[in-house]
């Protein structure tokens, strides 16, 4: 929960649980996604998650939105209060610009609205967090977002680098850039991510002083039958020091009553060395091969 107070359209302040707005999927776009509560692995791997703290947000001139968060953890869901320190050591901020004034419901993916004129959206996300091994969520936690190597190994696990050493603290820094365009039922969007993890506090020998990873993704969709049937494709790839995993998806959304948030989703996904995975997503850490899934989404 949270408590917000609005001074004006340009200035709103709040305290409570909120997203670290480091990527587009954490800028209030949910549930207006192509997929049902599932990200491509490049987003999932690089992104922050939810935190508790103080935040400021608003709408500025020229259709520019901003949000700034000062929180207590990069990923708090599934972390007990006793695991957290008493410091606000996570900073996350975003800018989102929709030059034409709107980009569909919550600025999400897919042109369900069938825009007659071209509309565009551009986003920037920045996140910085000092993390320690004690305050990490469990592997089986819903919305688990942990700092991992690109082969899926958790940074803070014992002997993560195979040298007997252990990382106790590290600093996570991440930048994301995204852009999209919609018109006549088409949606084309892409994103770029770069992440640096450094300033290690260790026990024993660790063979690296920092980790540098980057990745990108692209998604394309088309409303084949307006308000009724959508098809989409997605691809993402990660370039890391411990492997270069990727994934690709092809899916269909059927809206039987022409309601955006009542849909049947069917998707075919191929994974290559997935570095991410937890109970609420259809992939496992290290997963290779094809996944077929069908979901019914209803939002009231």
């Amino acid at each position: 929960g949270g408590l917000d107070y609005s001074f004006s359209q340009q200035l709103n302040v709040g305290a409570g649980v909120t997203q670290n707005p480091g990527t587009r999927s954490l800028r209030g776009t949910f549930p207006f996604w192509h997929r049902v509560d599932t990200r491509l692995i490049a987003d999932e791997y690089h992104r922050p998650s939810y935190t508790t703290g103080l935040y400021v947000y608003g709408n500025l001139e020229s259709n520019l939105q901003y949000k700034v968060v000062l929180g207590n953890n990069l990923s708090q869901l599934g972390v007990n209060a006793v695991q957290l320190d008493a410091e606000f050591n996570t900073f996350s901020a975003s800018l989102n610009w929709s030059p034409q004034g709107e980009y569909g419901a919550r600025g999400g993916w897919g042109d369900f609205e069938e825009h007659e004129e071209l509309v565009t959206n551009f986003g920037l996300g920045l996140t910085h967090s000092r993390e320690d091994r004690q305050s990490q969520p469990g592997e089986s936690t819903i919305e688990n977002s942990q700092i991992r190597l690109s082969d899926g190994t958790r940074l803070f696990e014992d002997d993560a680098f195979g040298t007997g050493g252990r990382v106790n603290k590290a600093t996570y820094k991440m930048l994301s850039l995204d852009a999209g365009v919609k018109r006549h039922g088409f949606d084309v969007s892409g994103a770029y991510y770069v992440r640096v993890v450094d300033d290690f506090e260790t026990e024993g020998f660790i063979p690296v002083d920092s980790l540098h990873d980057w990745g990108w993704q692209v998604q394309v969709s088309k409303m084949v039958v307006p308000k009724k049937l959508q098809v989409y494709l997605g691809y993402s790839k990660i370039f890391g020091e411990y492997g270069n995993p990727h994934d690709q998806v092809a899916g269909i959304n059927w809206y039987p009553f022409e309601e955006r948030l009542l849909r049947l989703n069917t998707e075919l996904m191929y994974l290559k060395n997935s570095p991410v995975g937890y109970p609420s997503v259809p992939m496992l850490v290290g997963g290779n091969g094809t996944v077929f899934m069908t979901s019914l989404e209803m939002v009231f």
Side-chain angles (χ1 to χ4, degrees):
L3 179 65
D4 292 26
Y5 187 86
S6 178
F7 290 94
S8 67
Q9 182 180 3
Q10 293 77 28
L11 179 61
N12 305 269
V13 299
V17 178
T18 189
Q19 308 101 320
N20 285 309
T23 66
R24 182 179 171 188
S25 65
L26 286 158
R27 295 206 300 265
T29 53
F30 179 80
F32 298 98
W33 297 357
H34 291 128
R35 313 172 74 188
V36 177
D37 203 10
T38 304
R39 302 166 174 86
L40 291 168
I41 64 170
D43 186 350
E44 190 68 61
Y45 176 78
H46 291 93
R47 73 176 178 90
S49 186
Y50 293 80
T51 191
T52 295
L54 309 173
Y55 46 92
V56 181
Y57 61 96
N59 299 313
L60 305 177
E61 295 182 0
S62 303
N63 304 310
L64 182 68
Q65 300 90 40
Y66 75 94
K67 184 175 183 179
V68 178
V69 175
L70 184 62
N72 62 1
N73 198 6
L74 188 68
S75 178
Q76 188 183 323
L77 299 185
V79 178
N80 294 326
V82 295
Q83 295 176 249
L84 298 171
D85 58 31
E87 299 178 5
F88 287 103
N89 45 24
T90 298
F91 171 84
S92 190
S94 68
L95 288 173
N96 193 80
W97 181 40
S98 301
Q100 290 75 32
E102 65 87 33
Y103 195 64
R106 296 193 186 178
W109 284 271
D111 189 21
F112 187 84
E113 296 80 11
E114 295 273 343
H115 288 87
E116 291 296 325
E117 302 295 331
L118 188 76
V119 293
T120 56
N121 189 81
F122 305 93
L124 164 70
L126 296 168
T127 307
H128 181 286
S129 185
R130 183 65 174 167
E131 293 289 297
D132 65 69
R133 67 189 307 269
Q134 176 179 295
S135 62
Q136 301 305 301
E139 289 186 86
S140 61
T141 302
I142 300 297
E143 278 289 312
N144 171 348
S145 180
Q146 295 194 341
I147 300 175
R148 295 180 179 269
L149 313 185
S150 59
D151 64 359
T153 302
R154 290 174 294 131
L155 174 67
F156 293 110
E157 72 179 53
D158 291 338
D159 198 23
F161 295 90
T163 60
R166 185 176 76 183
V167 176
N168 290 329
K169 292 187 177 183
T171 298
Y172 160 104
K173 292 171 278 190
M174 199 274 293
L175 163 73
S176 74
L177 301 169
D178 61 83
V181 58
K182 297 179 183 181
R183 187 169 185 247
H184 292 323
F186 279 100
D187 177 354
V188 180
S189 61
Y192 168 81
Y193 312 97
V194 59
R195 187 195 74 175
V196 176
V197 183
D198 58 10
D199 195 15
F200 296 153
E201 183 178 297
T202 65
E203 293 181 29
F205 174 66
I206 298 297
V208 296
D209 295 321
S210 62
L211 299 171
H212 299 261
D213 305 278
W214 66 280
W216 60 274
Q217 71 176 36
V218 62
Q219 297 185 78
V220 180
S221 68
K222 167 63 177 174
M223 295 300 301
V224 179
V225 179
K227 310 293 185 183
K228 279 283 191 179
L229 185 66
Q230 178 192 64
V231 296
Y232 64 89
L233 299 171
Y235 180 88
S236 79
K237 188 173 180 65
I238 297 164
F239 298 87
E241 298 185 46
Y242 294 87
N244 302 318
H246 65 85
D247 66 340
Q248 46 202 310
V249 301
I252 297 173
N253 285 308
W254 176 47
Y255 307 91
F257 302 109
E258 299 186 0
E259 294 288 341
R260 180 73 186 269
L261 297 181
L262 174 58
R263 60 171 171 157
L264 182 70
N265 171 267
T266 299
E267 181 179 278
L268 187 67
M269 172 173 58
Y270 176 76
L271 295 167
K272 181 64 174 177
N273 300 328
S274 174
V276 294
Y278 49 91
S280 66
V281 295
M283 71 273 284
L284 297 173
V285 175
N288 276 286
T290 303
V291 178
F292 175 79
M293 64 178 179
T294 297
S295 304
L296 176 65
E297 181 182 62
M298 297 178 288
V299 180
F300 298 95

